[in-house]
Amino acid sequence: LEQQKAVWPGNCWLQQGRNGRCQVLYMPGMSREECCRSGRLGTSWTEEDVPNSTLFRWMIFSGGAPNCMLCKETCDNVDCGPGKRCKMSKRSKPRCVCAPDCSNVTWKGPVCGSDGRTYKDECALLKAKCKGHPDLEVQYQGKCKKTCRDVLCPGSSTCVVDQTNNAYCVTCNRICPEVTSPDQYLCGNDGIIYASACHLRRATCLLGRSIGVAYEGKCVKAKSCEDIRCSAGKKCLWDAKMSRGRCAVCNEPCPEQRPDEAVCASDNATYPSECIMKQAACSMGVLLEVKHSGSCNYIRDQFYDHLMSLIWCFAVCRLSNASL
């Protein structure tokens, strides 16, 4: 009788950790051949036939199972899918990395993404899209701008400046369905009543600048925030300049700000970031908006420096003429 080769059952795992141990148990009692049949990159196998209690202890206390063997040890016949390729890591292990096909990219300069961020080129945006932002697209060529001036939107899309003063390319919806309920009415930040959110978006598109929602329902002739009802989680902020109220979310925490995030607000005060400006507005109950990025003293300081340079130059010129 021909001696049959024994097939020993082991344990199949979905990945091998940085510590070299097998992690995320897929199936116990499985042979290496069965485990590795899928060809999935990262799938690993251990041959120890141990009780479930040992497996549990390995996973909880030891960071995974020892003697972990990768099913795929090279990049041979590895299919990483579109936009990715297999590459051997510094630890000599195959891994899929983002490598989008940029051969058809004609524009070599920076682009503005649909997330409002500037990418050095379209290829860099495609890599970011591959790394976990599947909905990321190019909005327009060039750096992201704070105004629609010089923004060329592709196709039939239109440039609109949102409430954070960022330029976006959007497709305008010219037709809105008929209003079926008075609950759809919205009061815009411009003090105009809109029949629905669709009508407000259409007006925003035609205007080219974000209007925003002051509060739900028809606009009322308010003398103060006491006359305005805000929905749950929002607080009324009073716009003294326009004598209007606006409902705003006031409980959002601010991330750690960077030095270049300072803004000059409508009260002529400088705040470390737009988020902190909004928190200050909520605490005071008044509406604050961004006048421009950077310190409120930036333009004044530039003028002062320029003036001092002229004075110095004038003094030097007089001394030079006097010595002649």
Side-chain angles (χ1 to χ4, degrees):
L1 292 175
E2 184 179 345
Q3 187 177 4
Q4 291 183 340
K5 185 178 179 181
V7 179
W8 298 102
N11 300 293
C12 192
W13 306 78
L14 292 181
Q15 67 184 38
Q16 185 185 68
R18 291 182 176 273
N19 57 7
R21 289 174 171 260
C22 282
Q23 298 173 346
V24 189
L25 180 64
Y26 171 64
M27 186 77 69
M30 183 178 277
S31 69
R32 182 184 176 104
E33 183 181 8
E34 291 174 314
C35 178
C36 299
R37 189 175 293 159
S38 67
R40 179 183 172 276
L41 197 65
T43 302
S44 305
W45 185 78
T46 53
E47 64 178 352
E48 286 88 355
D49 184 16
V50 294
N52 290 339
S53 59
T54 303
L55 290 175
F56 180 79
R57 190 170 64 252
W58 280 343
M59 288 186 285
I60 300 300
F61 301 109
S62 303
N67 305 319
C68 184
M69 292 178 279
L70 275 170
C71 288
K72 288 280 187 181
E73 296 181 345
T74 67
C75 281
D76 295 343
N77 301 319
V78 172
D79 182 13
C80 292
K84 294 184 178 182
R85 65 181 177 86
C86 184
K87 180 182 178 182
M88 297 300 292
S89 69
K90 293 179 180 179
R91 298 163 62 92
S92 299
K93 294 177 182 178
R95 63 189 183 105
C96 288
V97 296
C98 289
D101 182 10
C102 301
S103 58
N104 294 327
V105 175
T106 54
W107 174 259
K108 303 299 182 184
V111 294
C112 182
S114 53
D115 58 352
R117 293 180 57 190
T118 298
Y119 294 85
K120 68 175 183 178
D121 52 38
E122 189 173 344
C123 201
L125 182 141
L126 291 173
K127 286 181 180 178
K129 181 176 182 176
C130 168
K131 289 180 178 179
H133 302 280
D135 298 327
L136 184 61
E137 300 291 342
V138 174
Q139 279 202 97
Y140 49 86
Q141 295 174 348
K143 294 181 178 180
C144 293
K145 295 179 174 61
K146 295 287 186 181
T147 173
C148 281
R149 193 185 311 132
D150 301 328
V151 173
L152 295 176
C153 292
S156 60
S157 59
T158 304
C159 182
V160 172
V161 177
D162 70 0
Q163 287 179 289
T164 60
N165 295 320
N166 290 310
Y168 285 88
C169 289
V170 298
T171 302
C172 292
N173 186 8
R174 304 280 177 178
I175 302 173
C176 290
E178 290 186 15
V179 178
T180 58
S181 170
D183 295 338
Q184 292 180 265
Y185 283 107
L186 296 172
C187 180
N189 287 334
D190 54 359
I192 297 174
I193 300 171
Y194 294 91
S196 68
C198 178
H199 288 82
L200 189 144
R201 285 195 299 269
R202 185 179 66 180
T204 293
C205 248
L206 296 175
L207 183 65
R209 177 173 50 82
S210 176
I211 297 170
V213 178
Y215 46 86
E216 296 172 357
K218 292 185 177 182
C219 298
V220 296
K221 291 183 179 180
K223 295 182 179 179
S224 69
C225 273
E226 292 181 2
D227 300 325
I228 297 171
R229 266 187 201 176
C230 294
S231 56
K234 291 187 176 181
K235 178 182 178 180
C236 177
L237 305 179
W238 189 251
D239 183 355
K241 183 179 179 181
M242 303 299 295
S243 295
R244 287 200 290 258
R246 184 184 302 182
C247 295
V249 178
C250 281
N251 58 356
E252 291 183 337
C254 290
E256 187 176 347
Q257 67 271 5
R258 300 192 305 267
D260 60 346
E261 289 184 332
V263 294
C264 177
S266 50
D267 62 348
N268 294 319
T270 302
Y271 294 88
S273 69
E274 186 175 349
C275 182
I276 292 177
M277 179 200 74
K278 289 178 179 178
Q279 285 187 341
C282 285
S283 64
M284 294 185 291
V286 297
L287 179 70
L288 293 178
E289 294 182 313
V290 176
K291 286 179 68 177
H292 60 76
S293 300
S295 169
C296 290
N297 298 327
Y298 176 71
I299 297 175
R300 188 184 70 186
D301 291 346
Q302 275 196 323
F303 174 77
Y304 177 77
D305 291 343
H306 182 63
L307 181 63
M308 293 303 294
S309 297
L310 290 175
I311 293 172
W312 178 83
C313 180
F314 181 71
V316 170
C317 291
R318 288 195 63 182
L319 287 172
S320 299
N321 292 333
S323 61
L324 292 175

